Amino acid sequence: MSEPTQKYSITMPRDIAESARERSGPSGLSAYVAAAVARQIERDNLNELISVAEADHGAITEEEIQARRDQLRRAREAQGHNGNPGARAA
């Protein structure tokens, strides 16, 4: 992250903190937590967009969701991806 940083004190359950520390690797716990918070903010923003879209156009049905998943799966298969996002078929 190229933004200026500031030190914060947070409280979290010990098991979560230790698990995060073990997974943080060379970038450190602060970078790991910052990335997790950034992902949560992205999810929150997406949920807000979904709420606005559903208010304007109605709720998204399970059928519409499944149709988009099927479309994405077919597109990945056509591009040579296997079932794993980010992975390429051998």
Side-chain angles (χ1 to χ4, degrees), residues 23-49:
R23 289 171 171 78
S24 64
S27 62
L29 182 60
S30 291
Y32 189 87
V33 171
V37 170
R39 278 191 306 276
Q40 185 61 49
I41 290 169
E42 289 174 357
R43 287 179 177 177
D44 293 345
N45 289 340
L46 287 171
N47 284 334
E48 289 173 15
L49 287 173

Side-chain angles (χ1 to χ4, degrees), residues 1 3 5 11-12 14 25 31 38 46-47 49-50 55 58 67 73 75 81 83:
M1 289 183 197
E3 293 290 319
T5 61
T11 303
M12 71 176 76
R14 182 174 294 153
L46 287 171
N47 284 334
L49 287 173
I50 290 168
R73 179 186 46 77
H81 292 213

Side-chain angles (χ1 to χ4, degrees), residues 17-72:
E18 290 306 316
S19 221
R21 186 179 306 278
E22 290 170 7
R23 289 171 171 78
S24 64
S27 62
L29 182 60
S30 291
Y32 189 87
V33 171
V37 170
R39 278 191 306 276
Q40 185 61 49
I41 290 169
E42 289 174 357
R43 287 179 177 177
D44 293 345
N45 289 340
L46 287 171
N47 284 334
E48 289 173 15
L49 287 173
I50 290 168
S51 293
V52 168
E54 287 184 337
D56 289 347
H57 305 287
I60 301 168
T61 67
E62 286 299 319
E63 293 81 19
E64 291 170 316
I65 293 170
Q66 189 58 50
R68 294 296 180 242
R69 286 182 176 149
D70 293 343
Q71 182 181 19
L72 180 58

